[in-house]
Amino acid sequence: MEASLDMLRTLRLTGGIFLDAQFTAPWCISAQVAPEDCHPATPLPGGIIAYHYVSTGRLLLRVGEGAAMEVSAGHLVVLPRNEPHVLGSTLDCPPISADRLVQTSIESGIARIVHGGGGEATRVWCGFLLSEATSDPLMGMLPGVMMLDVSQGAAGLWIESSFRLAVGEIASGEVRSPALLSRLAELLFIEAVQHYLVSLPPDQRAWVGGLRNPFVSRALALMHDRPARHWTTETLAREVGLSRSAFAEHFSELMGMPPMRYLAGLRMRVAARRLQESSTPIALIAQEAGYESEASFTKAFKRAFGAPPATWRRGQQGPS
């Protein structure tokens, strides 16, 4: 975990809260934080990390073709790569773009949304973090969305009370501590990342140690960013600026396995997540995972998970 903390400290994050959204069921919106949402913070070239804190009620959230997740009051969801997403009391109706619903508030500087059909109420505070890093290996390895119960963990009570103080200031139009919002957003992000890493099985956490080494960390970022590419130990070594033997030695020492074995495991995890979270055809998932044929993918998947992809997918869906 120390390696991940070291990486997080180098990101130099800054941010805050930009939107107070009040919904009543039924409702469904599509959203993505835009640079103009981050005013008056200066948008940085490294990209935007989005987050939503549900203060009351509940919602469903889906990123891309992923599975919908339920987010209840007191929980924070973080989108490390600010991917387009859909939120709502239900996701079965066509979403309305959040941009069409935003009402700018001159008094507090916080935009607002009031929308819905008059049923169950949900209030969401939306925020952002800006990073100076244009390409960071840790960011590329995180999932598209992470959820954190802000009342849990060693810093949980402090985080929850501080967040409520911050949103209270915004609601009253008296933001006395903008630095608090930025620091709080950064802490929430770090807590979410740490929570995610701790939740991983030990064999899927090996890459964290590799983040300390600039050559291994660069190779990890390349593999996680493009797992389907025809990587070899030699091409990775060339990309990171080492000889094949030196790179293989560095990687195996830090990761506990050769580069190609790590890549094979990564591809299987990517494929399993796609099988579980989408209805994408197996042939396409095989291609996305770097396999030239569905047959070779099926063989490798069965060896890794004990069942063919189609059978494994049905088992993950549970009884109908």
Side-chain angles (χ1 to χ4, degrees):
M1 297 305 100
E2 290 182 6
S4 63
L5 278 174
D6 288 344
M7 294 297 295
L8 288 168
R9 291 189 187 104
T10 66
L11 291 179
R12 298 185 64 185
L13 301 170
T14 183
I17 299 171
F18 71 91
L19 177 68
D20 170 15
Q22 301 176 49
F23 301 106
T24 53
W27 61 279
C28 183
I29 66 166
S30 59
Q32 183 179 33
V33 180
E36 53 267 25
D37 296 325
C38 304
H39 182 77
T42 303
L44 299 172
I48 300 170
I49 301 165
Y51 69 86
H52 304 295
Y53 174 70
V54 181
S55 62
T56 58
R58 53 171 289 281
L59 59 80
L60 296 173
L61 179 143
R62 183 174 60 232
V63 178
E65 295 183 1
M69 59 190 302
E70 181 170 344
V71 188
S72 56
H75 286 71
L76 176 95
V77 286
V78 179
L79 290 82
R81 290 176 292 281
N82 186 35
E83 298 174 77
H85 50 285
V86 178
L87 310 93
S89 59
T90 176
L91 303 183
D92 295 332
C93 55
I96 299 174
S97 172
D99 294 339
R100 294 173 50 190
L101 304 173
V102 170
Q103 307 167 17
T104 303
S105 173
I106 299 176
E107 294 79 13
S108 65
I110 303 297
R112 284 185 167 82
I113 289 178
V114 179
H115 172 69
E120 179 187 5
T122 297
R123 189 170 192 176
V124 186
W125 296 91
C126 305
F128 64 90
L129 282 164
L130 303 174
S131 169
E132 294 181 1
T134 56
S135 178
D136 182 83
L138 177 60
M139 298 300 292
M141 296 176 202
L142 294 175
V145 59
M146 300 179 294
M147 182 161 64
L148 176 70
D149 183 346
V150 301
S151 66
Q152 300 300 311
L157 292 177
W158 182 87
I159 291 175
E160 187 172 27
S161 61
S162 297
F163 202 99
R164 292 189 180 280
L165 172 63
V167 297
E169 287 188 359
I170 293 171
S172 66
E174 299 178 1
V175 182
R176 296 183 293 272
S177 306
L180 169 65
L181 297 183
S182 183
R183 176 64 183 134
L184 180 59
E186 181 182 1
L187 180 57
L188 287 168
F189 175 69
I190 292 173
E191 285 285 312
V193 172
Q194 293 291 94
H195 176 77
Y196 165 72
L197 294 177
V198 169
S199 72
L200 290 175
D203 64 328
Q204 294 184 27
R205 238 186 274 162
W207 55 264
V208 179
L211 297 177
R212 291 185 181 277
N213 183 288
F215 303 109
V216 175
S217 127
R218 171 62 178 155
L220 287 169
L222 289 169
M223 286 188 281
H224 279 257
D225 186 46
R226 289 173 284 174
R229 181 171 170 178
H230 184 61
W231 295 113
T232 65
T233 302
E234 186 174 355
T235 57
L236 285 168
R238 188 163 55 246
E239 288 280 355
V240 303
L242 287 177
S243 69
R244 184 188 186 285
S245 59
F247 168 67
E249 181 179 352
H250 276 289
F251 194 97
S252 297
E253 180 181 351
L254 284 170
M255 304 299 292
M257 66 185 77
M260 292 303 97
R261 188 191 304 173
Y262 179 85
L263 178 61
L266 170 64
R267 286 171 169 170
M268 284 295 101
R269 294 195 297 274
V270 169
R273 186 167 63 246
R274 290 282 281 152
L275 286 166
Q276 186 176 22
E277 296 180 352
S278 76
S279 57
T280 303
I282 292 174
L284 181 56
I285 291 177
Q287 183 180 351
E288 292 174 349
Y291 287 83
E292 295 181 356
S293 71
E294 184 176 347
S296 62
F297 168 69
T298 297
K299 183 178 179 180
F301 192 91
K302 184 176 181 180
R303 187 167 57 245
F305 290 91
T311 304
W312 187 88
R313 173 183 260 171
R314 287 194 296 271
Q316 297 301 304
Q317 294 171 347
S320 55

